[in-house]
Amino acid sequence: MIFHILTIFPDFFNGPHGLGSMTGGVVERARRAGLLDVHIHDLRNWTHDRHRTVDDRPFGGGEGMLLKAEPIFEAVESILPQRGPDSSVVLLSAQGRKFDQATARSYAGRKELLLICGRYEGVDERVAEHLVDDEISIGDFVLSGGELPAAIVMDAVARLQEGVLGNKDSAVNESFSQPQLLDCPQYTRPEEFRGWKVPETLLGGNHAHIREWRKRAAAEKTARLRSDLLDQT
Ligand code: SAM
């Protein structure tokens, strides 16, 4: 799979504090193993003036600047000249549809994913209206740019690619692999820490009981922390 990231801050993804450290090495390792590729594109490469201008003031007045439509359209059309069902172009935006595991799974089936990072007060709306396949938010809060959201989307999608995770079951038995369920609580050594004991069933070695315990514990945790998931039928 190929990820393209369109940004005015390409250095955000490069260097020692770039993508490698941001994603805990998963994306970097997968890239080195040839399982995926990441192309970082500087939006200013599609400007035509001396100052390489990517932004302008909003019509109607108001705060700040917006990323202009022209360089973004030109960039997307040159990075993905043949758009088809194998590719998706996604605008990261606080106004977008909420990103979730089902969306990550659907992107993971694409050959190419192009992520557009907004900045300043956002992006000329014609990009959302006429260029992208999806406008995606990573949550109900406002960040200063789309670069962190793009890294988050890329991490979530990359780890679903075959061969990226060391253990292929890791992405099967985890939160949201059943859409309405969180992962069950997990414990490691020591058996007792500051007086808090690991649940007896997990130490007993009876796999049927452990499975049963995990199912119940996952349901309880979901009800306690994310009852909204249970309301989604
Ligand atoms: N004026 C915009 C609004 O109120 O919706 C906020 C713009 S924000 C300061 C600048 C850029 O950060 C956005 O264009 C988007 O690319 C990115 N961004 C901010 N919050 C985001 C979120 N929750 N999810 C995805 N992208 C986000």
Side-chain angles (χ1 to χ4, degrees):
M1 179 171 188
I2 302 174
F3 292 92
H4 299 277
I5 297 186
L6 186 59
T7 171
I8 59 168
F9 293 119
D11 287 345
F12 185 95
F13 298 96
N14 298 324
H17 301 297
L19 211 46
S21 47
M22 255 189 286
T23 60
V26 169
V27 171
E28 200 45 45
R29 254 198 335 269
R31 178 152 70 166
R32 274 198 222 116
L35 297 168
L36 52 88
D37 214 345
V38 184
H39 299 276
I40 311 294
H41 304 273
D42 185 347
L43 180 64
R44 292 187 199 279
N45 291 340
W46 286 276
T47 56
H48 302 288
D49 63 314
R50 202 155 56 90
H51 302 291
R52 309 181 83 203
T53 310
V54 288
D55 58 327
D56 209 336
R57 290 189 304 277
F59 281 121
E63 305 298 311
M65 304 292 270
L66 294 176
L67 289 184
K68 290 158 67 65
E70 302 101 299
I72 299 181
F73 270 75
E74 270 193 44
V76 170
E77 285 159 4
S78 88
I79 296 166
L80 289 181
Q82 316 260 296
R83 280 172 66 180
D86 276 357
S87 63
S88 279
V89 177
V90 176
L91 174 66
L92 281 317
S93 154
Q95 299 149 36
R97 184 168 70 78
K98 197 93 68 75
F99 186 60
D100 60 12
Q101 191 68 8
T103 308
R105 248 180 256 123
S106 84
Y107 292 164
R110 307 281 193 274
K111 282 198 177 129
E112 292 188 274
L113 184 65
L114 196 166
L115 302 169
I116 303 172
C117 308
R119 272 279 158 179
Y120 312 127
E121 284 308 310
V123 177
D124 186 304
E125 189 66 16
R126 286 166 287 196
V127 169
E129 287 171 345
H130 304 294
L131 181 65
V132 301
D133 301 305
D134 230 342
E135 185 176 357
I136 287 290
S137 163
I138 60 155
D140 289 344
F141 42 80
V142 179
L143 297 164
S144 27
E147 286 75 11
L148 271 176
I152 286 168
V153 169
M154 185 158 52
D155 184 304
V157 175
R159 64 193 295 287
L160 296 177
Q161 298 296 307
E162 209 174 322
V164 169
L165 295 181
N167 181 344
K168 70 177 167 44
D169 288 338
S170 300
V172 177
N173 302 315
E174 63 182 2
S175 297
F176 315 113
S177 42
Q178 293 177 62
Q180 282 124 355
L181 207 57
L182 300 177
D183 198 359
C184 62
Q186 308 258 32
Y187 303 84
T188 184
R189 279 180 288 193
E191 285 181 28
E192 183 170 341
F193 169 67
R194 296 191 176 177
W196 298 302
K197 291 185 179 153
V198 171
E200 203 65 46
T201 313
L202 298 179
L203 307 172
N206 181 324
H207 292 294
H209 287 177
I210 292 173
R211 253 196 319 276
E212 219 22 69
W213 183 91
R214 285 185 165 156
K215 231 161 97 183
R216 207 178 45 250
E220 277 167 13
K221 189 161 187 183
T222 307
R224 183 158 46 87
L225 296 181
R226 291 295 308 274
S227 57
D228 59 303
L229 293 174
L230 301 171
D231 298 338
Q232 297 166 17
T233 45

